[in-house]
Amino acid sequence: MTTYDFVLANGKIMDGCGNPWYWGDLGIQDGRISEIAPAGSLQGRQKVDAAGRFITPGFIDIHTHSDLSILVNRRAESAVRQGVTTQLIGNCGMSPAPVSEIHLAEMKRQWGPISDQPEVRWEWQTFSQYLQILESQGLGINIASLAGHGALRIASMGLEEGKASPAALRQMKSLLEEALRAGAFGLSTGLVYPPGCYASTDEIIALCREVAKYHGLYASHIRGERETILEAVAEAIRIGSEAGIPVQISHNAPKFGAPCDASANLQLVEEARAKGKDVTVDNDLHTDLAPALTDGLPQEIQDLPADQIRTLLRNPTRRAEIRDEIVGDRKPAFGPVGLLKHGQWQRITMLHAPKSPQVVGKTISTIAQERGSDPFDVYFDLIAENGHDAEAIFDYIDEVNIRLLLKHPAVIICSDGQVLAPYGFLNDPPPYSPCSYGEFPGALERYVRDEPVLTLQEAIRKMTSFPAQRLGLRERGMLREGAWADIVVFDLERIHDRATNLYPHSYPFENYPHQYPEGIDYVLVNGVMVVEEGEHSGALPGKVLRHHFSKQQ
Ligand SMILES: [Zn+2]
């Protein structure tokens, strides 16, 4: 009888494909699953008794923003402690590569303070150089990446507004081709953010035709997730269909201000699929987001240095124009701006305001009453007082929509978070990012165990084989012989998310600062234990994954 490197014994094996569990042992050798056999039958040099807990494939998070934070925290702590073994980065149009020397400053401005961290040395220009730096010193999880349209545009034309010239478009195409050859899984856009919001549909189609040559994916933060959500979904579908590539619509819950619930956008996806168009969706399970207040300003000014923004806001004429622009929303802004546009000030709760600490924990409505001011002016004043450091929790999604998406078979569960850790730069000040710490355990706790919105096998499918299929990761996302041993062992009875707050928020905020979840007992990445009895082992066995067709044209 073979003695394996490692055996996970006596578990409820759930293969990730949507099938119910069965009792079994997994034998792991050289990073892969060598044998799956009846419980109690395998021998290993090292053996862990799963003792009736679930053994599933490691979770694959198809929508994250860990591009720079993974350099700061290579152990990928907030992700792997949830059971995540692979993340896709480069979403919403933003990847840190490619980058050109002359536009490095604009690129760094887009990423904010993390871009000046000592671990982020900007030693790369091309996509392939960035991937090499990622893999040079080990990773706690596997990383796959998209090329961000925003990065391509900044590299070729900076943050210029308006149409790309033919020369700029040619340059974007050639940078994209380099990224695809290096292993990018496709192209992402962020059509509400600068500079994506300045791009025409034709510009994106032209770039997606390059992606088609490499059989990649088009992933989009669409052009508005509120009033314009249906047009924006239709635009994404059209881009994929004209370029002949699959479409992944990112975090597609309608946000406050949308004219419909999620069944309307899902219906467009179903109609497209019925016509043979390969369109799928992802979504995370949180109803709130805590951006900087400056992120709600019009795209042209939101990233300016704080003193320049302050000058604009102190000029009454400019302040009135900016207010009109926010309310007019002609170039649809990102989701939370719906609360500004529709005056939902009671749904915006201050989280950080270093220069006006007395407002923390209060809603903008309450602050407006206290100050005897108009709430819109309070919003501007808090920015003038605190610059980019003012952050608030925006409650901008109705949980009904989270459930509708969760139940739909074409929707993948993702986090839309990033690798974080409760110490050092990534916790200074503690960010409000429950999805980064609690997404996957929270889904299992709230929507499988406590309330049966999904069966366990369906939830696991949406976290494993489905995202793997979407990315063409043929040897991950399923428990079967020969696959890479990316594995989670968890106890459904004990699983507990210690990061998520439920609406309405009260101060001090529940589960903040965030903590790692409970009940995720073992996590293996490429056959190596990264989480052992609930603690990080320090191992860095993660790989940089390159798209299957990256070498081919
Ligand atoms: Zn996004």
Side-chain angles (χ1 to χ4, degrees), residues 63 65 92 193 221 251 416:
H63 191 98
H65 297 283
C92 299
Y193 299 120
H221 180 148
H251 45 58
D416 195 13

Side-chain angles (χ1 to χ4, degrees), residues 164-417:
S165 67
L169 187 59
R170 267 198 308 281
Q171 196 185 350
M172 283 192 254
K173 281 186 190 169
S174 89
L175 292 168
L176 175 58
E177 181 162 31
E178 188 280 330
L180 293 162
R181 279 180 188 275
F185 284 71
L187 179 73
S188 78
T189 55
L191 301 179
V192 294
Y193 299 120
C197 61
Y198 311 126
S200 65
T201 308
D202 288 343
E203 174 178 326
I204 314 290
I205 292 172
L207 293 169
C208 282
R209 290 202 167 114
E210 294 301 306
V211 177
K213 297 179 192 163
Y214 294 84
H215 306 278
L217 183 70
Y218 174 57
S220 184
H221 180 148
I222 57 175
R223 212 181 287 274
E225 299 181 301
R226 299 177 268 107
E227 292 77 2
T228 59
I229 185 169
L230 298 180
E231 296 93 307
V233 167
E235 181 193 27
I237 293 170
R238 184 186 146 210
I239 290 168
S241 111
E242 293 205 13
I245 60 175
V247 177
Q248 181 71 17
I249 302 178
S250 304
H251 45 58
N252 197 215
K255 277 65 178 183
F256 189 93
C260 50
D261 71 18
S263 40
N265 41 303
L266 288 169
Q267 167 119 28
L268 293 184
V269 170
E270 280 172 22
E271 285 166 12
R273 294 188 63 82
K275 290 183 194 143
K277 297 174 184 175
D278 181 0
V279 182
T280 56
V281 172
D282 53 67
N283 201 44
D284 76 281
L285 310 180
H286 289 89
T287 54
D288 55 9
L289 193 73
L293 292 187
T294 47
D295 291 345
L297 294 172
Q299 288 100 338
E300 292 77 7
I301 62 167
Q302 59 183 230
D303 293 318
L304 291 176
D307 53 328
Q308 288 182 36
I309 294 178
R310 199 168 289 130
T311 307
L312 292 174
L313 292 178
R314 286 196 174 138
N315 172 334
T317 318
R318 278 302 282 137
R319 181 181 278 224
E321 286 165 4
I322 292 168
R323 180 178 174 150
D324 286 347
E325 226 178 299
I326 293 173
V327 173
D329 202 29
R330 278 174 293 273
K331 247 190 334 292
F334 84 141
V337 173
L339 300 186
L340 306 180
K341 180 178 161 79
H342 298 285
Q344 296 290 305
W345 308 104
Q346 77 288 0
R347 295 174 68 139
I348 306 174
T349 309
M350 291 306 297
L351 176 70
H352 291 300
K355 297 282 163 47
S356 15
Q358 69 285 359
V359 303
V360 171
K362 295 177 185 166
T363 65
I364 291 194
S365 318
T366 304
I367 304 164
Q369 278 161 21
E370 286 177 3
R371 292 187 176 184
S373 315
D374 172 75
F376 226 123
D377 280 319
V378 169
Y379 166 73
F380 290 137
D381 291 341
L382 289 168
I383 293 175
E385 289 158 29
N386 296 278
H388 293 291
D389 296 329
E391 288 173 9
I393 303 178
F394 286 67
D395 270 296
Y396 71 136
I397 298 176
D398 188 334
E399 206 210 358
V400 166
N401 289 320
I402 305 255
R403 288 161 189 267
L404 284 169
L405 283 146
L406 199 52
K407 280 195 246 184
H408 195 282
V411 179
I412 292 171
I413 298 172
C414 71
S415 77
D416 195 13

Side-chain angles (χ1 to χ4, degrees), residues 1-4 7-11 23-27 35-44 47:
M1 185 183 221
T2 314
T3 303
Y4 292 106
V7 167
L8 274 173
N10 307 311
W23 290 106
D25 285 2
L26 284 181
E35 189 177 351
I36 305 179
S41 67
L42 295 185
Q43 299 296 322
K47 202 166 182 174

